Amino acid sequence: MKNQIFIAALFVCGLASAQTITVRDNSTRESIPGVLISDQANKTILTDNKGAASLNELDKNGIITIYHPSYTTFTLNVSGDTEINLTSKSVILDEVVFSANRSEEKKSDVPYQIEIIKQKDIEFGNQPNTGDVLANTGNITLQKSQAGGGSPNLRGFEASRVLIVVDGVRMNNAIYRSGHLQDIMTLDAQMLDRAEIIFGPSSTIYGSDALGGVMHFYTKNAQFSADDKMLVKVNTMTRYASVNNEATGHLDFNLGWKKFASFTNITYSQFGDTKSGTTKLNGYTNKWDRTYYSERREQIINTGTTANPVYVGTGLQTDSMMLNKDNNLLVGSGYKQTDIMQRFSLLTGKHLTHNLNFQLNLTPQLPRFDRLANDFSGTNLKWAENQYTQNRMLAAYSLNYDAKTAFSDNMKITAAYQKIDQDRIARKFKNNNRVTQMEDVSVMSINLDITKKIMEKHELRYGAEITANDVKSTAKTLDIKKDSTFRADTRYAPSSTMNTYAAYLSHAFEVDKNFVINQGVRFTSTNVRSNFTDTLPFKFPFTTVTQKSNALTGSLGFTWKAENDYKFSLLANTGFRTPNVDDMSKLFESGPILIVANPTIKPEYAYNFEMGLSKISNNRFKFDINVFYTIVNNYLTLRDFKFNGQDSIAYNGSKLKVQAMQNTDRAYLYGFSTGCQFDFNDNISFKSTLNYTYGRYADVKKDTVVPLDHIPPVYGQSSVLYKNKNTDVEFFVRYNGKKSLSDYSPSGEDNLAYATVNGMPAWFTVNIRAGYNITKSLRINASCENITDIRYRAFASGMNAPGRNFIVSLRYKF
């Protein structure tokens, strides 16, 4: 009996000594990893990837403090296993960023304006694609040429002047164009763990194209198990949206052991035709109506007389111009998309981790809606077909070594291969010839990123990057009536290459706990080569175009933090963009314009100056403002051009005006971004943003100052949020100022033809969304966007924005 009592006592003591604490988000009920738990003796532990931690190492008899920078701090006396629910904050202190210098550091220590989007924000936002996730911040505008896509705009820069990076690998390739670029849609929003957007030139760390900023996307990684049990995590989601009958299904799951882990991500989306708003803005015409659309039908002829017609089918198919019964329905805007990601992680030592990252995006048919709907001549539609086929594949291996050596505290090597297949398929109305232009781009890259801390106050980050782009451009014409194939004009020179070699060094000096100096320098060498052949429609005055350029960029920033929670930063930095294959060798018909190759263009150089100020009061209120001024020398823009002495050329049966990319003398932009956040209490908060950019370029030859392209009107977003146990609610208004005709650029990139006779009108939308946990594992999210059903367009867009949209999603996690 005594032995039984003794064994029972040991069992009870064992249970007591194995006390655990689990930390969850109060509204989503999800576990929170990385929470700092400390006792009164300042001993600390962190929660694992299940949000749990054992309290064995702490003094459990006193008060335990639970801290995470994104949540309110919590204190308690522990008795037995405990589950704690933390409430998230709008005003966040000690936030960490990874993108500014490609390494982990406090956001408060860097002089850049950085926007952070977390997985929780993505799931609650309930957006259909990654472009809309960015627009949902209120600090980024999004141009749309079709429903499947979105071209993000950072400080008046867009397309090839902003850099997209995924998991440390640059996505920008040799055919990224300077107009409007929809490639952001090839990143599945459901596979993202977080995104960080750096505003302003960032070439010191990232190289070419980072003039307006960098969008760095971090995907979900495979997670190891913290114990001997296999770590299993499953996340499923299904979503429906009324405005386009969206049907999305998503599944991801993690299988983790101590030294090996696997993460699988699959998303399939099907979108029908979008319905735009029905409430037309005052004073504007019906220009944005979708009145007619093309449909392939059997040809009908009259075999009778005019008085007694007899209609008989011929058995032949022909294009018919159909009257749209609902001119708010954007017929021809639907598409389908499949995204797959597979990641593996392997530990081969205490300090050595290997990662494999495979991503695949398939979009078999993506209608170019702006062309299909807006090119209407008055008697017939211009296009019967105009669409993309777009596939993106990424395979990357990364090695992470975090043992401290004389040269590094952390070293990461990333080797990647990307394959991009992009086909443009177009056929004019009542024309049997379907032209397909096929671009096959292969990109190989290797990155080396190293961090080293020296004497506590100094931190070095240095590394190197090599990229090799290979572009094959082919084309064919299919006679859909005769089923015969013959040659067509390629979009670019048949074969091109673009290679870069770069090295960078940045240094942070913490003078004291309140004053940090950041400096950096980067050298980049670029070689571009395009080979022209006689298969092109014109005899070019050259057979090979080559360009070699070197760029030296740098940055110097100061960050000062006062004891009363002021932060003041100054930044002077430079950026550059090297002309790529799209700039140098493109042959492209755009409306009444023919864009031709120009091998004489030079790299663009940006010189940026900005100041940031923020103030936090009582850990509940935050105000921030960033003011910038950017000068760009040799700014590239489309301008009138003479090709072989001619200012217009007969092409595809039409006489077209000739334009080419050319360097202007100088462009300048200035503006500000400001915002405020206020936590009224633990449940209710308010946040608001406002952004303004002004841009012009000087044309010395004509002695004029001309509006710069891609400059959005003033815009922002204001929200009221309510958070309680199991519940999130957000009411928000998104607003956009007017773009006057006088502010449109003459380059054509602003799509003046798609505006109204008064320019692009101001607009605002009223929206609400909510999330509720039915159980700990099952959550429902519901939204109503554009409640007032306003018909509007984002600046430079070729299609109407969605009208009133009801969105419902169910997400199950365990």
Side-chain angles (χ1 to χ4, degrees):
M1 183 69 178
K2 290 181 179 179
N3 289 338
Q4 291 175 330
I5 294 173
F6 179 71
I7 292 172
L10 286 177
F11 179 71
V12 171
C13 290
L15 285 178
S17 65
Q19 287 181 356
T20 61
I21 188 167
T22 302
V23 185
R24 296 183 179 276
D25 185 290
N26 188 45
S27 56
T28 67
R29 307 293 293 163
E30 290 189 41
S31 59
I32 309 173
V35 176
L36 183 71
I37 303 174
S38 61
D39 61 16
Q40 289 178 308
N42 291 325
K43 293 180 181 179
T44 61
I45 56 174
L46 292 173
T47 57
D48 60 20
N49 48 28
K50 293 181 181 179
S54 171
L55 302 180
N56 289 350
E57 299 178 10
L58 302 184
D59 179 5
K60 300 182 286 295
N61 296 319
I63 295 176
I64 300 295
T65 301
I66 301 171
Y67 171 78
H68 191 284
S70 299
Y71 294 84
T72 54
T73 302
F74 195 88
T75 58
L76 76 160
N77 289 303
V78 178
S79 59
D81 290 350
T82 305
E83 181 174 297
I84 300 299
N85 299 315
L86 297 184
T87 302
S88 61
K89 301 186 298 183
S90 294
V91 179
I92 300 174
L93 305 175
D94 300 328
E95 204 160 16
V96 171
V97 294
F98 302 88
S99 58
N101 289 288
R102 298 179 77 103
S103 62
E104 182 178 339
E105 57 191 324
K106 289 183 180 180
K107 183 182 178 184
S108 58
D109 286 343
V110 299
Y112 292 93
Q113 178 192 351
I114 301 177
E115 178 82 28
I116 301 172
I117 306 172
K118 300 175 183 176
Q119 181 186 342
K120 178 183 174 181
D121 304 322
I122 296 171
E123 293 180 355
F124 182 56
N126 230 3
Q127 299 301 306
N129 59 48
T130 302
D132 289 305
V133 168
L134 296 176
N136 199 47
T137 64
N139 284 319
I140 300 170
T141 59
L142 198 70
Q143 184 276 347
K144 286 200 173 188
S145 297
Q146 63 258 359
S151 187
N153 188 303
L154 307 182
R155 291 188 177 179
F157 293 98
E158 193 180 333
S160 61
R161 292 188 180 96
V162 294
L163 182 64
I164 304 175
V165 180
V166 56
D167 294 326
V169 179
R170 56 183 294 132
M171 280 182 57
N172 290 40
N173 58 56
I175 64 169
Y176 265 40
R177 56 191 178 274
S178 60
H180 306 291
L181 193 73
Q182 314 294 320
D183 289 41
I184 195 76
M185 68 159 294
T186 66
L187 290 172
D188 176 21
Q190 299 303 317
M191 74 179 183
L192 299 178
D193 180 62
R194 68 188 277 131
E196 295 182 10
I197 295 88
I198 308 171
F199 293 86
S202 308
S203 292
T204 303
I205 301 299
Y206 289 96
S208 180
D209 301 358
L211 296 182
V214 175
M215 295 168 284
H216 200 144
F217 298 94
Y218 299 88
T219 64
K220 300 172 184 176
N221 204 353
Q223 297 180 20
F224 297 106
S225 176
D227 51 39
D228 293 328
K229 295 180 181 179
M230 181 175 67
L231 174 65
V232 179
K233 285 189 172 184
V234 178
N235 172 26
T236 64
M237 184 274 292
T238 183
R239 181 173 59 221
Y240 171 79
S242 63
V243 79
N244 54 10
N245 290 317
E246 175 200 354
T248 292
H250 169 77
L251 168 68
D252 69 62
F253 58 90
N254 184 91
L255 304 175
W257 293 266
K258 274 194 169 183
K259 294 191 176 182
F260 177 76
S262 168
F263 180 83
T264 304
N265 181 100
I266 303 170
T267 305
Y268 174 77
S269 296
Q270 179 174 306
F271 302 90
D273 292 333
T274 298
K275 188 169 184 179
S276 67
T278 59
T279 306
K280 298 179 181 179
L281 299 168
N282 291 333
Y284 292 93
T285 64
N286 298 329
K287 185 175 183 178
W288 296 341
D289 289 352
R290 178 63 156 138
T291 308
Y292 297 99
Y293 63 94
S294 175
E295 187 172 281
R296 195 81 174 156
R297 287 192 168 193
E298 182 182 12
Q299 186 179 33
I300 305 296
I301 61 173
N302 182 10
T303 59
T305 64
T306 303
N308 298 294
V310 178
Y311 296 102
V312 178
T314 64
L316 300 175
Q317 296 292 311
T318 188
D319 295 326
S320 299
M321 194 166 73
M322 310 299 296
L323 180 65
N324 190 4
K325 295 180 180 179
D326 181 359
N327 58 25
N328 297 307
L329 185 65
L330 308 182
V331 177
S333 59
Y335 69 101
K336 300 175 183 179
Q337 182 171 328
T338 303
D339 292 279
I340 299 170
M341 183 178 73
Q342 178 63 55
R343 300 198 66 169
F344 296 108
S345 293
L346 176 67
L347 280 171
T348 57
K350 184 179 179 181
H351 301 287
L352 191 60
T353 308
H354 308 264
N355 291 284
L356 287 175
N357 186 349
F358 176 80
Q359 299 173 19
L360 180 66
N361 168 269
L362 302 172
T363 311
Q365 183 176 328
L366 184 60
R368 180 71 188 266
F369 182 82
D370 60 337
R371 295 292 182 84
L372 293 171
N374 293 308
D375 288 332
F376 179 62
S377 64
T379 54
N380 284 316
L381 295 169
K382 184 174 182 179
W383 298 102
E385 302 175 35
N386 205 305
Q387 64 191 38
Y388 290 106
T389 295
Q390 185 163 281
N391 302 319
R392 180 186 69 89
M393 187 273 285
L394 165 69
Y397 163 77
S398 63
L399 178 150
N400 195 80
Y401 184 65
D402 61 5
K404 292 187 177 182
T405 69
F407 303 101
S408 70
D409 293 337
N410 184 278
M411 178 177 67
K412 185 174 183 179
I413 300 173
T414 304
Y417 172 75
Q418 298 179 76
K419 184 75 166 64
I420 300 95
D421 297 325
Q422 192 176 86
D423 299 346
R424 290 172 172 81
I425 304 165
R427 183 175 63 82
K428 291 189 174 181
F429 190 74
K430 295 285 187 181
N431 190 315
N432 292 325
N433 294 331
R434 177 187 293 143
V435 178
T436 302
Q437 294 177 315
M438 296 160 282
E439 324 310 332
D440 296 323
V441 184
S442 298
V443 186
M444 299 184 70
S445 63
I446 185 165
N447 288 80
L448 171 66
D449 299 296
I450 298 173
T451 61
K452 178 64 181 177
K453 198 160 189 176
I454 303 172
M455 296 183 298
E456 294 301 320
K457 290 182 175 292
H458 299 270
E459 186 168 357
L460 294 177
R461 302 103 170 188
Y462 60 99
E465 180 182 65
I466 300 173
T467 68
N469 287 248
D470 182 75
V471 181
K472 302 297 182 188
S473 187
T474 57
K476 65 179 181 181
T477 300
L478 172 66
D479 187 320
I480 61 174
K481 184 177 181 180
K482 298 178 181 179
D483 195 26
S484 59
T485 303
F486 51 96
R487 67 166 295 279
D489 302 334
T490 58
R491 180 178 173 88
Y492 303 112
S495 66
S496 302
T497 58
M498 181 175 179
N499 303 320
T500 65
Y501 312 89
Y504 75 91
L505 170 67
S506 73
H507 169 239
F509 175 30
E510 188 177 2
V511 180
D512 56 43
K513 65 178 182 179
N514 295 324
F515 187 48
V516 180
I517 303 174
N518 285 272
Q519 316 104 45
V521 64
R522 181 189 183 99
F523 177 78
T524 305
S525 180
T526 305
N527 299 320
V528 184
R529 180 185 179 93
S530 294
N531 301 308
F532 293 83
T533 67
D534 57 7
T535 60
L536 292 171
F538 314 116
K539 184 174 178 58
F540 283 83
F542 39 78
T543 58
T544 301
V545 172
T546 60
Q547 184 177 102
K548 295 182 180 181
S549 61
N550 298 322
L552 183 65
T553 52
S555 63
L556 176 62
F558 303 91
T559 304
W560 176 70
K561 296 174 289 185
E563 296 290 347
N564 55 354
D565 290 326
Y566 275 103
K567 176 189 170 182
F568 179 73
S569 62
L570 286 174
L571 176 65
N573 58 347
T574 60
F576 75 99
R577 185 176 81 89
T578 299
N580 60 20
V581 172
D582 183 87
D583 297 310
M584 291 179 55
S585 71
K586 179 165 59 179
L587 180 68
F588 174 56
E589 179 185 359
S590 178
I593 295 170
L594 181 67
I595 300 170
V596 299
N598 180 12
T600 65
I601 53 180
K602 304 172 184 177
E604 300 172 312
Y605 288 93
Y607 303 89
N608 179 66
F609 308 91
E610 62 182 274
M611 179 183 70
L613 176 66
S614 67
K615 166 65 177 174
I616 297 175
S617 298
N618 300 322
N619 291 338
R620 288 190 176 275
F621 174 78
K622 180 181 180 181
F623 169 81
D624 60 82
I625 184 169
N626 287 272
V627 181
F628 66 92
Y629 185 88
T630 306
I631 299 170
V632 185
N633 287 340
N634 297 327
Y635 188 87
L636 284 166
T637 187
L638 281 172
R639 300 167 74 183
D640 294 345
F641 188 71
K642 287 189 176 182
F643 184 80
N644 289 336
Q646 301 179 61
D647 59 9
S648 60
I649 294 177
Y651 183 78
N652 283 345
S654 303
K655 194 168 186 179
L656 304 177
K657 185 179 182 180
V658 177
Q659 286 192 346
M661 293 297 291
Q662 298 173 67
N663 294 106
T664 59
D665 298 288
R666 174 176 292 184
Y668 61 93
L669 307 90
Y670 60 81
F672 66 85
S673 176
T674 186
C676 67
Q677 300 171 25
F678 182 55
D679 290 332
F680 292 98
N681 51 45
D682 287 346
N683 302 113
I684 301 174
S685 60
F686 170 82
K687 62 181 181 180
S688 184
T689 66
L690 186 68
N691 299 270
Y692 172 78
T693 305
Y694 180 89
R696 293 290 188 269
Y697 72 84
D699 190 333
V700 174
K701 290 182 179 179
K702 296 182 179 180
D703 193 24
T704 58
V705 176
V706 180
L708 196 61
D709 46 17
H710 301 292
I711 304 299
V714 63
Y715 65 94
Q717 182 171 299
S718 296
S719 306
V720 176
L721 299 97
Y722 171 79
K723 299 183 290 287
N724 205 343
K725 187 174 183 180
N726 297 321
T727 306
D728 287 286
V729 181
E730 180 181 14
F731 174 83
F732 64 102
V733 178
R734 188 170 297 162
Y735 34 86
N736 216 93
K738 176 183 177 180
K739 180 81 170 184
S740 301
L741 293 178
S742 59
D743 289 327
Y744 273 74
S745 170
S747 71
E749 298 289 10
D750 288 346
N751 290 331
L752 178 61
Y754 299 160
T756 71
V757 293
N758 298 311
M760 192 64 72
W763 54 265
F764 70 91
T765 61
V766 180
N767 318 267
I768 191 170
R769 52 177 161 242
Y772 178 74
N773 291 307
I774 300 171
T775 68
K776 283 186 179 181
S777 301
L778 183 63
R779 181 175 175 85
I780 184 171
N781 282 286
S783 311
C784 183
E785 298 181 343
N786 194 1
I787 294 173
T788 56
D789 204 29
I790 293 291
R791 178 190 284 196
Y792 72 97
R793 287 188 177 187
F795 164 63
S797 292
M799 70 174 293
N800 300 345
R804 185 183 297 117
N805 189 16
F806 296 96
I807 309 167
V808 179
S809 68
L810 276 175
R811 188 178 296 272
Y812 184 74
K813 292 184 178 183
F814 66 87

